[in-house]
């Protein structure tokens, strides 16, 4: 049987919720992006994968800069690779910086155009790169949402011509991290990766800054993404915002 103290405590919580129903049900939140020209964010992605029986850790630091906000709300960003370190067998190896990538997205984060120069010895095809770019940003809802609400976005699948795939996004809620409040959002997608019906799945949960929608951190998995050199591979990933050094 429940103790008297537990019953009393439970009754107290019930009364408090009845008197303040907003505590039990959060008011809808307008979750979205607020971009302006010149905004810059640096993100470091850590990838843990197994390729050919070897454990590999890749750390990539990119600088993303907003170069244009168009009248229709589309946002142009330029991503500049700043550092790449590959660890194989416990040994770190610095890699040369890659080419800049320019992406145009609409105000909800949907990819409109990707300009990434083709490089000799590229690890992924342009089509796979475009697929990745289409889902690495959170796709925002058109209407305010409450904790637990989900929405679905249908996108063209660049990996298989004529195919589409769906992205499910869920507003988990508002959560505190390091003393600050963030939007917690989960995003999942499964798409055909070839004409025979092979599948690629991407799933991650991100913490976003409410003032701008900028990613602060994220964790997730990629399963069976096709590559040009190692077949379909899977990995775990972690993304962290790189704070500016104090002057």
């Amino acid at each position: 049987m429940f103790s008297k103290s537990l019953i009393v405590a439970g009754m107290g919580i019930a009364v408090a919720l009845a008197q303040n129903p907003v505590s039990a049900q959060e008011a809808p939140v307008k979750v979205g992006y607020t971009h302006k020209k010149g905004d810059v964010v640096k993100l470091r992605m850590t990838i843990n994968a197994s390729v050919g029986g070897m454990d590999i850790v890749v750390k990539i630091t990119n600088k993303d800069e907003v170069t244009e906000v168009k009248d229709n709300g589309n946002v142009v960003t330029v991503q500049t690779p700043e550092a790449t370190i590959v660890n194989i067998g416990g040994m770190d190896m610095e890699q040369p910086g890659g080419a800049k990538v320019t992406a145009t997205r609409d105000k909800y984060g949907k990819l409109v155009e990707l300009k990434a120069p083709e490089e000799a010895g590229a690890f992924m095809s342009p089509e796979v790169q475009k697929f990745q770019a289409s889902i690495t940003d959170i796709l925002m809802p058109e209407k305010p949402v409450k904790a637990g609400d989900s929405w679905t976005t249908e996108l063209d699948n660049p990996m298989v011509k004529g195919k589409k795939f769906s992205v499910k996004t869920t507003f988990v809620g508002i959560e505190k991290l390091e003393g600050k409040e963030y939007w917690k959002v989960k995003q999942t997608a499964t798409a055909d990766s070839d004409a025979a019906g092979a599948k690629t799945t991407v799933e991650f949960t991100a913490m976003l800054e409410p003032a701008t929608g900028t990613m602060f951190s994220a964790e997730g998995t990629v399963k069976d993404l096709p590559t040009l050199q190692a077949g379909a591979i899977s990995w775990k990933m972690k993304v962290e915002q790189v704070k500016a050094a104090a002057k």
Side-chain angles (χ1 to χ4, degrees):
M1 295 180 66
F2 294 108
S3 69
K4 182 178 179 180
S5 60
L6 286 176
I7 294 174
V8 172
M11 290 178 64
I13 293 171
V15 170
L17 291 176
Q19 292 175 338
N20 187 17
V22 176
S23 299
Q25 180 72 34
E26 291 182 3
V29 177
K30 180 58 179 174
V31 179
Y33 292 111
T34 304
H35 292 300
K36 66 179 185 296
K37 184 178 179 180
D39 285 346
V40 174
V41 62
K42 291 186 180 183
L43 296 172
R44 179 184 296 115
M45 177 183 289
T46 302
I47 296 171
N48 288 269
S50 179
V51 179
M54 294 187 298
D55 292 332
I56 297 176
V57 179
V58 182
K59 294 184 179 181
I60 305 169
T61 302
N62 290 320
K63 181 182 78 172
D64 291 344
E65 180 176 2
V66 176
T67 58
E68 184 181 3
V69 178
K70 300 186 178 183
D71 292 339
N72 64 358
N74 286 0
V75 179
V76 181
T77 59
V78 175
Q79 184 179 84
T80 304
E82 291 198 335
T84 300
I85 299 175
V86 179
N87 184 295
I88 302 177
M91 181 180 296
D92 283 342
M93 293 175 286
E94 291 191 22
Q95 303 296 306
K100 292 183 178 182
V101 175
T102 302
T104 302
R105 303 176 190 275
D106 70 11
K107 61 183 178 180
Y108 300 111
K110 185 176 179 180
L111 185 68
V112 176
E113 184 181 26
L114 185 71
K115 295 180 180 178
E118 294 189 33
E119 300 177 83
F123 192 65
M124 297 177 187
S125 70
E127 293 77 18
V128 173
Q129 291 181 49
K130 189 173 182 180
F131 167 74
Q132 275 201 296
S134 70
I135 57 171
T136 50
D137 276 26
I138 293 295
L139 301 176
M140 299 296 191
E142 296 183 11
K143 299 178 180 180
V145 291
K146 301 187 299 294
D149 284 351
S150 298
W151 55 97
T152 301
T153 308
E154 188 175 62
L155 302 175
D156 291 328
N157 184 352
M159 297 188 293
V160 183
K161 189 175 181 179
K163 284 276 191 176
K164 293 182 178 291
F165 69 101
S166 295
V167 182
K168 181 182 178 181
T169 313
T170 302
F171 178 55
V172 180
I174 297 175
E175 188 169 304
K176 277 195 173 182
L177 187 64
E178 297 181 3
K180 293 178 61 177
E181 288 188 342
Y182 293 91
W183 293 331
K184 187 174 184 179
V185 185
K186 182 178 180 180
Q187 189 156 283
T188 61
T190 298
D192 288 347
S193 57
D194 63 26
K199 305 288 185 183
T200 294
T201 299
V202 179
E203 178 177 310
F204 67 97
T205 300
M207 305 290 279
L208 310 178
E209 296 179 346
T212 60
T214 301
M215 184 178 293
F216 176 76
S217 64
E219 291 189 26
T221 58
V222 176
K223 295 181 180 179
D224 298 324
L225 187 74
T227 69
L228 296 173
Q229 302 174 17
I233 65 173
S234 304
W235 65 77
K236 293 181 179 180
M237 62 181 177
K238 182 176 182 180
V239 179
E240 302 169 285
Q241 192 176 123
V242 180
K243 298 179 181 179
K247 293 184 179 179

